[in-house]
Amino acid sequence: MKAMILAAGYGRRMLPLTEKLPKPLLQVSGKALIEHHLEKLAHAGFQDVVVNHGHLGPMIEDALGDGARFGLSIRYSPEGPEPLETGGGMAKALPLLGHEPFLIVNADIFCDYDFSEVPELDPHADAHLVLVDTPGYKPRGDFSLRGGDVVEEPEPTLTYSGIAVYHPSILDGAKVERFSIVPRLREAIAGGRVRGSHHRGQWSDVGTPERLLQLQ
């Protein structure tokens, strides 16, 4: 399975830290956020990784190179100054990802998730989402789990972790343009085609300077 790290966000909530440094290169425990992911992916046996980038993207390429020092092969999907969001970014990278299910990881999370536990995608599913307990700073969760299926409820109990496995078919008919994957994902959830699992370990969405400081 190939993996894609979504690293094209501008990181406006992290200003001024991201004014001259792309958010994925912000450091926790002496390493860039994205380096933590790459090391864990390599340890789990992944070999091919695609990284998209936007704001200050060349700095990410300069920092990571071809991935050899991580034991990986890294290819890049540059999006320029206007990121394509999740759906558009995945659609643009699809020629690099191929026709099989692929792993998606948000660059701006920090967690102890073991990527060797990434499940094989159910042949009847469009996606598998890794969910976590909803953190205190969020007013509500995103989804719930019911017998292994991801569902939307009036009071969802869990939050999307930024880690998922997608089948390329969820992008059928998509153009390379700015759009979110969420509407397609919700359609698949409504059709009973999204599975999920609950990660109960460490996880943080590094969305503000305050959260980054807490981690450091």
Side-chain angles (χ1 to χ4, degrees), residues 14 17 21-36 63 69 110 206 209 211-216:
M14 296 296 289
L17 299 179
L21 188 72
K23 187 175 179 181
L25 295 185
L26 294 175
Q27 292 201 350
V28 173
S29 300
K31 296 177 187 175
L33 284 167
I34 196 169
E35 290 181 326
H36 286 282
R69 69 184 175 95
F110 184 81
V206 191
R211 288 181 221 155
L212 178 64
L213 183 61
Q214 287 175 353
L215 281 175
Q216 291 173 334

Side-chain angles (χ1 to χ4, degrees), residues 187-207:
E187 181 180 350
I189 290 172
R193 302 190 307 276
V194 178
R195 312 288 180 258
S197 52
H198 185 185
H199 174 61
R200 293 176 170 83
Q202 181 187 21
W203 178 87
S204 178
D205 171 12
V206 191

Side-chain angles (χ1 to χ4, degrees), residues 6-214:
L6 300 179
Y10 191 91
R12 287 183 171 85
R13 291 183 299 164
M14 296 296 289
L15 289 170
L17 299 179
T18 51
E19 185 175 0
K20 296 182 179 180
L21 188 72
K23 187 175 179 181
L25 295 185
L26 294 175
Q27 292 201 350
V28 173
S29 300
K31 296 177 187 175
L33 284 167
I34 196 169
E35 290 181 326
H36 286 282
H37 292 321
L38 293 170
E39 290 179 354
K40 290 175 183 175
L41 287 168
H43 182 73
F46 284 81
Q47 296 179 334
D48 298 307
V49 177
V50 175
V51 176
N52 70 340
H53 60 67
H55 172 63
L56 301 176
M59 293 182 67
I60 295 177
E61 294 198 26
D62 290 343
L64 305 181
D66 63 3
R69 69 184 175 95
F70 302 98
L72 297 167
S73 172
I74 298 178
R75 291 190 288 178
Y76 296 94
S77 181
E79 297 180 12
E82 293 297 328
L84 297 172
E85 294 193 30
T86 49
M90 289 161 60
K92 186 176 190 299
L94 207 53
L96 301 177
L97 294 168
H99 304 290
E100 300 297 324
F102 53 87
L103 174 68
I104 286 288
V105 183
N106 287 358
D108 58 355
I109 61 171
F110 184 81
C111 65
D112 60 1
Y113 183 76
D114 185 350
F115 289 116
S116 66
E117 297 179 359
V118 171
E120 293 290 332
L121 189 62
D122 184 318
H124 302 292
D126 292 339
H128 182 107
L129 307 185
V130 177
L131 306 178
V132 295
D133 293 329
T134 298
Y137 57 78
K138 285 190 64 177
R140 67 194 301 270
D142 302 318
F143 307 107
S144 294
L145 280 175
R146 185 185 299 154
D149 290 334
V150 174
V151 296
E152 293 193 272
E153 297 179 340
E155 295 185 10
T157 58
L158 300 173
T159 287
Y160 172 54
S161 69
I163 302 170
V165 177
Y166 282 101
H167 194 282
S169 62
I170 200 168
L171 294 165
D172 282 352
K175 298 179 180 179
V176 178
E177 59 188 5
R178 184 183 178 93
F179 74 95
S180 170
I181 195 64
V182 173
R184 288 172 177 254
L185 183 60
R186 284 189 165 145
E187 181 180 350
I189 290 172
R193 302 190 307 276
V194 178
R195 312 288 180 258
S197 52
H198 185 185
H199 174 61
R200 293 176 170 83
Q202 181 187 21
W203 178 87
S204 178
D205 171 12
V206 191
T208 65
E210 292 75 20
R211 288 181 221 155
L212 178 64
L213 183 61
Q214 287 175 353

